[in-house]
Amino acid sequence: MHFKNHFMKIREITLFTNQLKEQLHFYKNTLGFRMIHESDKKFTFQAGFTKMTFEFSEQKHVYHYCFLIPSNQLLAAIKWLNPKLDIIKIEEERIIQNFEDWNADSIYFYDGAGNIAEFIVRHDLKNETKNESFDLSQVLCLNEIGMPTQNVKKINQELEEQLNSTFWKGDLERFGTNGNQEGLFLLLNNQIKKEWFPTHLNTEASPFYGIFEVENYLYTLQFKQAKMNIFDKKQIQ
């Protein structure tokens, strides 16, 4: 039994795309993030405390990832997003998905390469802002990254043993989560759950790497060919 839920934060992450120009246009022009680095091979921007990079690859990859915003800003974020893109309709009628068990609400949209991005508010974090309108300065972090696998139990165990992060909610067969409300791996069995909610996009195990903070350590983690590896562990001074 785990009596302590170690916090996890996604400090840096790199995802891969065969549509780098479209992704750059989306993040720089459609949403308006300020670029930290930009080349014909990759680009990086700051999303709250997360540095997010898209790097060119020949192969197409499908991701699901999520940005955390203040818990009282979902309606303001919808108003801000509406002129920029089409928010994904859920069951053809609504745009907000309530997760009762998570005490959270989400909206979904496609990025420039057709991945599923999400804005989530987590009411347990009590991170309300006094701002009435929404802008990009209120994106707090990259909050979730999809980690499809054929064995949820195994990859969760590896994360617990090597990353020192803990199982959060869900189950170890079909769909579970590892981390906490500040940073989560979405662990799903892509033999059972074949599509990313609320779309028909395949839950393929697409590669990523990044720096993840757990307690007082920074871990460099790579997820490739549905396998996880930790390459470096540094204590935060």
Side-chain angles (χ1 to χ4, degrees):
M1 281 292 292
H2 291 282
F3 295 100
K4 187 176 185 188
N5 186 17
H6 290 184
F7 82 75
M8 202 257 297
K9 290 182 176 179
I10 305 171
R11 287 290 177 189
E12 296 183 22
I13 196 159
T14 296
L15 309 181
F16 297 90
T17 180
N18 65 345
Q19 297 177 67
L20 193 70
K21 280 183 184 161
E22 291 85 350
Q23 280 293 58
L24 177 62
H25 179 81
F26 179 81
Y27 276 104
K28 187 178 181 178
N29 302 111
T30 306
L31 292 189
F33 279 98
R34 189 179 62 79
M35 295 297 132
I36 300 170
H37 169 83
E38 206 179 311
S39 73
D40 41 0
K41 292 284 193 311
K42 60 183 177 181
F43 66 87
T44 303
F45 60 93
Q46 193 82 36
F49 60 67
T50 307
K51 266 192 184 135
M52 189 161 184
T53 299
F54 283 93
E55 192 172 310
F56 179 75
S57 71
E58 294 289 343
Q59 196 180 336
K60 180 176 168 61
H61 294 293
V62 175
Y63 296 96
H64 172 49
Y65 55 87
C66 172
F67 297 102
L68 180 68
I69 64 171
S71 57
N72 61 339
Q73 282 296 74
L74 193 65
L75 295 178
I78 290 169
K79 192 176 173 184
W80 180 83
L81 274 175
N82 263 331
K84 304 174 190 299
L85 50 80
D86 293 325
I87 296 170
I88 295 171
K89 283 232 167 89
I90 301 160
E91 291 158 2
E92 295 178 12
E93 57 182 44
R94 67 183 195 281
I95 55 170
I96 297 173
Q97 174 67 18
N98 172 251
F99 296 99
E100 200 174 334
D101 189 38
W102 291 19
N103 196 18
D105 292 289
S106 286
I107 54 170
Y108 301 86
F109 52 93
Y110 293 108
D111 70 11
N115 300 305
I116 308 159
E118 177 184 346
F119 277 179
I120 195 166
V121 296
R122 296 182 177 278
H123 302 290
D124 291 349
L125 290 178
K126 301 191 182 343
N127 55 9
E128 295 87 356
T129 175
K130 290 183 174 148
N131 295 350
E132 286 185 18
S133 59
F134 179 84
D135 61 51
L136 288 176
S137 70
Q138 292 169 61
V139 173
L140 301 172
C141 63
L142 188 78
N143 186 237
E144 298 173 0
I145 181 66
M147 210 170 183
T149 173
Q150 292 184 17
N151 191 332
V152 172
K153 193 174 182 180
K154 180 171 178 277
I155 206 148
N156 178 70
Q157 188 179 344
E158 288 171 355
L159 286 166
E160 291 196 337
E161 288 171 359
Q162 296 176 48
L163 197 70
N164 202 27
S165 58
T166 47
F167 189 77
W168 187 56
K169 289 190 177 184
D171 63 78
L172 291 170
E173 297 304 320
R174 181 179 176 271
F175 178 70
T177 51
N178 181 291
N180 71 339
Q181 296 202 65
E182 287 185 282
L184 280 180
F185 294 108
L186 305 180
L187 310 180
L188 56 99
N189 185 325
N190 58 1
Q191 302 299 294
I192 303 169
K193 186 172 162 56
K194 294 179 186 286
E195 294 177 345
W196 279 119
F197 178 85
T199 73
H200 297 301
L201 278 186
N202 289 341
T203 52
E204 60 179 74
S206 295
F208 63 84
Y209 66 89
I211 295 174
F212 298 81
E213 180 183 340
V214 183
E215 292 307 293
N216 296 313
Y217 288 90
L218 294 174
Y219 297 83
T220 303
L221 178 150
Q222 182 188 51
F223 182 65
K224 193 175 180 183
Q225 293 168 333
K227 289 186 174 64
M228 187 204 86
N229 289 298
I230 304 278
F231 288 106
D232 194 28
K233 178 184 176 183
K234 279 186 189 148
Q235 190 158 15
I236 298 168
Q237 298 302 316

